[in-house]
Amino acid sequence: MTVDLDSVAGVRGDGLPAALSDPLRLAAVAATGLLDTGPEEVFEDLASLAARVTGSGRAFVTLVDGERSFWKSCVGVDATAAADRQNPVRESFCYFLVGLGGEPFVVHDAAGDPRTRDHPSVGPMRIGAWAGFPLLAPGGEVLGSFCVIDDSPRIWSDADLTTLETLARSVSAEIHLRQSLESARQAHRVSARLAHSLQQGLLPPALHAIPGLETAASYLPASAGGVTGVEVGGDFYDLFPTRGASFAAVLGDVCGKGVEAAKVTAMARYTVRAIASRAPSPAALLGELNTAMLTQHAPRFLTAAYTAFRLTPAGLAGRISLAGHPPALVRRADGRVHRLGAPGTLLGVVPDVRLADVRFRLAPGDLLLLYTDGACEARPRPGSPLGSAQPVFGEDELAAALAGTRGLDAETTVKEICGALAAHHGGWASDDTALLALRVPPSS
């Protein structure tokens, strides 16, 4: 059968509209994700409404590729399996809509209309009258049709056609919404992967091994919209040798998230490494970092805990300085926990900062825990059942959780703390959470 429509821009070798094989149109049809999928309530409802309002008995939501018409919905036809809800494109009236480039196609008497009287489906499908409006992609490509079929010839009223046109737009809008949501999900996944890669680049791939010392660290990004790690955070940690037999551990929290926070995080981490070998004390180092941030006009402020230490025959001896950061926690071998460090000024805001060094020692079995405020301000997702029952997991709760890890090595301790936080907030992290633990092994 050859298509006889003045508005058709050419035909294929089989006599059907060339537009059926247009690559852009085929790509748009595939992008709907609806081909070969089962019935869905929203499409069934719209098709049922069309059949009921027009009194036609049959209504279809159809996607048309180059070779077939797939019925996403087929009200009035007993077909549920995908294989039964389709027919070859040449046996469907839908190709008329594709060939017309988006115009409706209305037939009052299919057997008598010269456009359709020789069509192979008129008899087998009992098509007395047919009326359809195109389903359009955002780019204007014809995806298929929203149509009704009556067993007998009839005159489709203006009200019938207005209803069909409105419902066809509703179907197209539903398809567009789904595609937009899927595009957003894909962009979300790409952003999450990029954020994860960037975040990993801001953290050491592995903690520096220090003979005679157990070390462990953990980083959990904040949750956003139920998904973790969509934006790169500002928390970081590092552990490295400085000079001679001395080492340094630093943990910081840059205000905010995203690219600007990542810039400050990278600058802070590498500045600390660059000046650590010559800084006379942790407080002096943090003071130099503050100057560097102000000189470079860092767009975010920073809180940090920095400790310089060395191993001794009796365990570990060090000094710690806090810049607007929560105090460190020390877990003694007997399970007692106490806070460590003097409050200090956060960095990157004012030129004159007040910072102090506090000396400490760790004996065999003792552990030092550095953490960001995600570990001491943890809370369940707002509006969740946990949110109304659980208070904030604060510094006291963190200290109690750490005391409950008495005797555990550094790695297991960090895992236990992470588990306690997850149990409290139900897997929804309100803020980035970084942990860094150093433990002197017990004497053999």
Side-chain angles (χ1 to χ4, degrees):
M1 172 182 180
T2 301
V3 178
D4 184 18
L5 294 171
D6 293 337
S7 58
V8 171
V11 295
R12 305 190 308 195
D14 59 2
L16 297 181
L20 284 168
S21 302
D22 177 63
L24 291 178
R25 193 194 74 82
L26 292 176
V29 172
T32 66
L34 297 177
L35 289 172
D36 299 311
T37 61
E40 295 183 52
E41 184 176 5
V42 61
F43 299 115
E44 295 293 304
D45 287 347
L46 291 170
S48 296
L49 180 59
R52 184 169 62 254
V53 170
T54 62
S56 58
R58 284 179 285 170
F60 296 76
V61 174
T62 304
L63 283 302
V64 182
D65 62 18
E67 303 300 330
R68 60 174 176 152
S69 292
F70 175 75
W71 311 333
K72 178 62 179 174
S73 178
C74 52
V75 172
V77 176
D78 186 15
T80 55
D84 298 328
R85 291 186 292 111
Q86 57 186 300
N87 62 348
V89 69
R90 70 166 40 255
E91 297 178 10
S92 167
F93 277 22
C94 294
Y95 68 69
F96 288 110
L97 289 167
V98 176
L100 288 168
E103 295 297 318
F105 186 68
V106 179
V107 179
H108 304 290
D109 182 358
D113 193 306
R115 299 172 299 174
T116 58
R117 63 189 175 197
D118 297 325
H119 195 283
S121 65
V122 171
M125 290 191 67
R126 305 188 320 278
I127 301 177
W130 195 97
F133 283 78
L135 303 179
L136 300 176
E141 300 87 358
V142 180
L143 304 172
S145 74
F146 184 82
C147 68
V148 289
I149 300 176
D150 200 306
D151 291 355
S152 304
R154 61 175 287 177
I155 300 298
W156 301 105
S157 69
D158 290 343
D160 291 335
L161 299 180
T162 298
T163 298
L164 289 176
E165 183 178 19
T166 300
L167 294 177
R169 285 199 300 267
S170 297
V171 173
S172 296
E174 174 67 21
I175 294 173
H176 299 172
L177 176 60
R178 289 169 178 233
Q179 291 178 292
S180 297
L181 288 174
E182 180 56 29
S183 296
R185 291 189 188 102
Q186 291 179 2
H188 196 276
R189 289 191 286 267
V190 170
S191 296
R193 288 195 294 268
L194 290 174
H196 177 74
S197 297
L198 180 55
Q199 192 74 63
Q200 293 304 110
L202 298 175
L203 300 172
L207 289 177
H208 182 84
I210 302 176
L213 187 68
E214 297 172 2
T215 62
S218 171
Y219 174 80
L220 175 68
S223 303
V227 179
T228 300
V230 177
E231 284 191 293
V232 62
D235 289 13
F236 69 95
Y237 59 80
D238 205 357
L239 177 65
F240 55 93
T242 52
R243 57 181 181 273
S246 296
F247 301 89
V250 62
L251 186 142
D253 184 356
V254 175
C255 172
K257 301 182 186 302
V259 175
E260 294 301 322
K263 289 179 181 178
V264 177
T265 298
M267 184 273 288
R269 181 184 168 203
Y270 294 115
T271 298
V272 166
R273 280 205 169 214
I275 63 179
S277 60
R278 58 178 174 78
S281 73
L285 179 140
L286 292 177
E288 287 195 48
L289 175 57
N290 183 65
T291 300
M293 292 179 66
L294 294 175
T295 300
Q296 298 182 40
H297 304 289
R300 299 283 192 274
F301 66 78
L302 163 71
T303 71
Y306 180 89
T307 177
F309 64 90
R310 57 186 175 83
L311 296 179
T312 69
L316 180 151
R319 289 179 289 174
I320 188 170
S321 183
L322 306 176
H325 204 78
L329 294 176
V330 174
R331 185 196 70 197
R332 297 302 181 187
D334 60 7
R336 290 179 297 117
V337 172
H338 66 84
R339 294 171 172 80
L340 176 67
T345 311
L346 56 81
L347 309 179
V349 179
V350 295
D352 297 321
V353 291
R354 294 196 303 173
L355 303 165
D357 292 315
V358 174
R359 295 183 179 274
F360 69 96
R361 291 183 178 274
L362 299 183
D366 291 348
L367 177 142
L368 172 70
L369 179 68
L370 306 179
Y371 56 93
T372 56
D373 55 11
C376 62
E377 296 178 0
R379 65 197 70 208
R381 179 199 295 270
S384 69
L386 284 176
S388 59
Q390 299 272 35
V392 173
F393 191 95
E395 290 186 14
D396 290 341
E397 286 73 24
L398 179 61
L402 181 60
T405 64
R406 173 186 174 182
L408 299 182
D409 61 25
E411 182 175 358
T412 308
T413 296
V414 167
K415 289 181 179 178
E416 289 293 315
I417 296 298
C418 290
L421 290 168
H424 183 84
H425 58 53
W428 186 84
S430 59
D431 198 359
D432 302 325
T433 306
L435 304 173
L436 177 59
L438 312 176
R439 180 180 184 246
V440 178
S443 301
S444 57

